[in-house]
Amino acid sequence: MEPLRDVDPACIGAHALLARLGAGGMGQVYLARSPGGRLVAVKVIRDEIVGHPEALARFRREAETVRAVRSAYTANLIDASLAAAPFWLATEYVAGPTLAHAVAQRGALPADTCRRLFAALAEGLASVHAYGVTHRDFKPQNVILGAQGPQLIDFGIARGVGETALTQDGQAPGTPGYTAPEVLLGAEAGPAADVFALGASLAYAATGRPPFGTGVAATVSYRAVHEPVDVAGVEPGLAALIGACVAKDPAARPELSEVVARCAVRDALVDDPVYVGLGALGEAVPLHEMRTQGPGAVPYGYTPTAYAGATVPGPPAGRGGRRAAGWVAAGAALAVVGGVAVWQLLPVGGGGGGDGKGAGSSAQGPSGQASGAPSGQGSAAPSAGAQSPAGPPVFIRQTAPNLDDYNPIVKQCHNPVGEEPGLANFQTSVTTDGRDHLMELKPGQASIGYRLKYGVADAPPYYVAVVVKPQHEVDASGRSTAVTDNRQLGFVAKARDLYEGDETKWKFLTYPDDFSMELDGKRVPAPPLAQDPGGWTVVFRHAVSDTQHKSVVCDGFDSGPQKG
């Protein structure tokens, strides 16, 4: 839970905001109070993906799923605005830590507690399946350990029977390590996939370790398909039940009713002293007074007329003009892997360069308020003052573990989303197929390019540093090590001003020629792709200085077998 920021509205609909609960690829989640004082969790879809039909369909599906599933193990839908922007939904707020947070703080849970939790979660999933819905992203982060029992959250990619899949570009739904093998291999996620995720989540609870180890997403997914789950040290009966749930063949997994029966619990989970103790890890609800936005302010998502006597959602003041102009941008289309370009949304201008912790972008691009002009017009210039007093960056340096990670199986980066004010259409190009716009590539090389689709008048410098990271860490000689959980920054190219020359013309870099890494006080040349076949991560970072930089677009490619 985080304090509200100045950019956050005072209210959403009729709900007064208290704090930030978190953010995801779809939107921001707030803690709020209803007019009658009830605590609610409000999810607001990001402005920059409002115009994306698939994103809206997924958001509406989540609302309808939560509305339809009336279970003791799910939070009820309280309110929603689904007809017009801004789109949001409010559900009951359940106090308590997530299972992921509880285990991270306290370590593995005792076998008896795990059995009680196993039975409760199996019963919860069964109640969801009874409505014809599969969760499709069950994991420890999506289980809240509430005082009345566990609650399942985040139905953003859930599906009902007969509904059309909404995943993008053939990407497998779910999270590596908890996604079932058949789903990773292209099959639909059915109820048996939720059973697999349940077993994997309980393996994590019982061991305190990721069920299929750590490393890049592709490595973890490979283990989920081909290797046994990690239950070393777990009580044999519990380990056997976990193993049954994570069977590679979905037909071999037990029904949820069988899982409950095999847990053979005799006591209520809420009476378990360990479970009760975990509740102390939850965050206290802020008690400060609700903010206002000045006299006559109306809640975000309501027109003044509607708020005066009705509850009909309407566009917020000052935003209709942008929508009418057609600048409701979606992270629509164009990142090039193997020669096909994709548009991303890149922050430009002020806001600083972050803290160097590597918050990257999802496929929709970073979050923030879109600003600029419709197609064919110049964007508004970014605000000044983005540069550090230390001067322009040269080669950015690592200041924290780099968590940017491209999964070649689902063709997507798994990492947080960077935030900066101001967005413009930014195009990236990553290709290893032997040819780019300017040159023939040699074996073991990659070409990486970027540009702005539309020009920006009188913009201050905005430095872009490109980072290329292999699956494995490297040593001081540039040779690959056995460490697959690569948290090194990666090989970097010299930062360049996005507005140097004509910002609408492509700027290209060649890997490995233009890249190196600072390690143990010296610069290590980048090795050819052949040294580490598999998934490589490509990140575009906004650099304020050599030590202040953050990811704004994450992409990647599968190098495959290389020659030479």
Side-chain angles (χ1 to χ4, degrees), residues 68-111:
V69 177
R70 311 292 291 185
S71 168
Y73 296 94
T74 60
N76 290 326
L77 185 71
I78 302 298
D79 195 5
S81 173
L82 303 176
F87 300 94
W88 54 267
L89 62 87
T91 63
E92 293 176 300
Y93 172 70
V94 180
T98 65
L99 177 58
H101 178 70
V103 174
Q105 292 296 310
R106 295 286 176 85
L109 305 181

Side-chain angles (χ1 to χ4, degrees), residues 12-209:
I12 294 176
H15 308 289
L17 302 190
L18 298 176
R20 286 181 163 223
L21 291 177
M26 289 289 290
Q28 178 69 45
V29 184
Y30 295 99
L31 174 66
R33 289 189 188 276
S34 70
R38 186 177 190 176
L39 290 176
V40 294
V42 182
K43 179 184 285 189
V44 186
I45 194 169
R46 295 184 184 279
D47 279 354
E48 68 270 24
I49 60 174
V50 162
H52 197 303
E54 184 176 278
L56 286 180
R58 182 175 291 122
F59 191 72
R60 289 188 175 116
R61 172 175 290 176
E62 178 174 8
E64 292 306 317
T65 299
V66 176
R67 189 195 307 276
V69 177
R70 311 292 291 185
S71 168
Y73 296 94
T74 60
N76 290 326
L77 185 71
I78 302 298
D79 195 5
S81 173
L82 303 176
F87 300 94
W88 54 267
L89 62 87
T91 63
E92 293 176 300
Y93 172 70
V94 180
T98 65
L99 177 58
H101 178 70
V103 174
Q105 292 296 310
R106 295 286 176 85
L109 305 181
D112 286 346
T113 303
C114 284
R115 282 194 179 86
R116 295 184 182 106
L117 181 60
F118 216 153
L121 291 173
E123 187 174 80
L125 273 177
S127 70
V128 171
H129 291 177
Y131 286 90
V133 172
T134 51
H135 191 287
R136 303 207 311 163
D137 197 19
F138 187 97
K139 57 186 176 182
Q141 294 90 329
N142 285 341
V143 174
I144 296 180
L145 305 181
Q148 303 304 314
Q151 296 275 305
L152 311 183
I153 62 170
D154 200 348
F155 286 81
I157 61 172
R159 278 187 67 192
V161 175
E163 289 185 325
T164 303
L166 291 176
T167 52
Q168 301 179 15
D169 304 324
Q171 298 165 0
T175 301
Y178 301 93
T179 303
E182 67 272 16
V183 178
L184 292 170
L185 296 174
E188 282 296 327
D194 280 351
V195 175
F196 180 93
L198 172 64
S201 297
L202 263 295
Y204 171 76
T207 66
R209 302 184 296 270

Side-chain angles (χ1 to χ4, degrees), residues 212-220 223 402 404-406 469-474 480-488 532-533 535 537:
F212 292 97
T214 60
V216 296
T219 301
V220 174
R223 295 192 194 112
N402 180 9
D404 297 317
D405 178 20
Y406 176 77
K469 187 176 81 168
Q471 292 185 82
H472 295 79
E473 289 190 359
V474 300
S480 297
T481 69
V483 179
T484 57
D485 185 13
N486 186 358
R487 300 195 172 193
Q488 292 176 330
D532 196 357
T537 304

Side-chain angles (χ1 to χ4, degrees), residues 71-469:
S71 168
Y73 296 94
T74 60
N76 290 326
L77 185 71
I78 302 298
D79 195 5
S81 173
L82 303 176
F87 300 94
W88 54 267
L89 62 87
T91 63
E92 293 176 300
Y93 172 70
V94 180
T98 65
L99 177 58
H101 178 70
V103 174
Q105 292 296 310
R106 295 286 176 85
L109 305 181
D112 286 346
T113 303
C114 284
R115 282 194 179 86
R116 295 184 182 106
L117 181 60
F118 216 153
L121 291 173
E123 187 174 80
L125 273 177
S127 70
V128 171
H129 291 177
Y131 286 90
V133 172
T134 51
H135 191 287
R136 303 207 311 163
D137 197 19
F138 187 97
K139 57 186 176 182
Q141 294 90 329
N142 285 341
V143 174
I144 296 180
L145 305 181
Q148 303 304 314
Q151 296 275 305
L152 311 183
I153 62 170
D154 200 348
F155 286 81
I157 61 172
R159 278 187 67 192
V161 175
E163 289 185 325
T164 303
L166 291 176
T167 52
Q168 301 179 15
D169 304 324
Q171 298 165 0
T175 301
Y178 301 93
T179 303
E182 67 272 16
V183 178
L184 292 170
L185 296 174
E188 282 296 327
D194 280 351
V195 175
F196 180 93
L198 172 64
S201 297
L202 263 295
Y204 171 76
T207 66
R209 302 184 296 270
F212 292 97
T214 60
V216 296
T219 301
V220 174
S221 295
Y222 177 89
R223 295 192 194 112
V225 174
H226 299 288
E227 297 179 7
V229 68
D230 176 11
V231 287
V234 177
E235 187 271 326
L238 179 59
L241 180 54
I242 291 172
C245 289
V246 298
K248 307 304 182 187
D249 180 2
R253 296 171 202 152
E255 296 290 332
L256 289 167
S257 57
E258 181 184 342
V259 174
V260 174
R262 290 178 62 175
C263 288
V265 296
R266 297 182 179 180
D267 305 300
L269 176 64
V270 295
D271 293 330
D272 184 295
V274 174
Y275 183 85
V276 172
L278 296 176
L281 298 174
E283 298 181 273
V285 175
L287 299 177
H288 58 271
E289 292 184 2
M290 300 168 190
R291 299 181 309 149
T292 62
Q293 293 179 322
V298 301
Y300 178 71
Y302 284 80
T303 62
T305 301
Y307 188 57
T311 56
V312 181
R319 299 195 180 199
R322 185 182 66 195
R323 287 197 299 276
W327 190 261
V328 185
L334 219 15
V336 176
V337 176
V340 181
V342 182
W343 290 8
Q344 302 281 349
L345 294 173
L346 175 71
V348 262
D355 56 9
K357 292 183 179 180
S361 158
S362 68
Q364 286 81 25
S367 65
Q369 301 288 333
S371 66
S375 175
Q377 301 181 25
S379 302
S383 59
Q387 288 304 307
S388 163
V394 182
F395 284 101
I396 63 173
R397 302 195 301 273
Q398 182 153 5
T399 58
N402 180 9
L403 304 182
D404 297 317
D405 178 20
Y406 176 77
N407 183 340
I409 295 179
V410 299
K411 297 180 173 60
Q412 179 179 343
C413 286
H414 293 280
N415 50 14
V417 176
E419 291 192 16
E420 286 184 330
L423 296 173
N425 278 313
F426 181 70
Q427 290 181 299
T428 66
S429 167
V430 180
T431 182
T432 60
D433 66 354
R435 179 186 297 273
D436 72 359
H437 297 70
L438 301 176
M439 59 174 285
E440 295 286 341
L441 293 176
K442 300 176 182 177
Q445 289 185 328
S447 176
I448 303 165
Y450 59 93
R451 71 165 185 172
L452 283 182
K453 177 66 174 176
Y454 307 113
V456 178
D458 301 323
Y462 184 97
Y463 289 92
V464 175
V466 179
V467 178
V468 177
K469 187 176 81 168

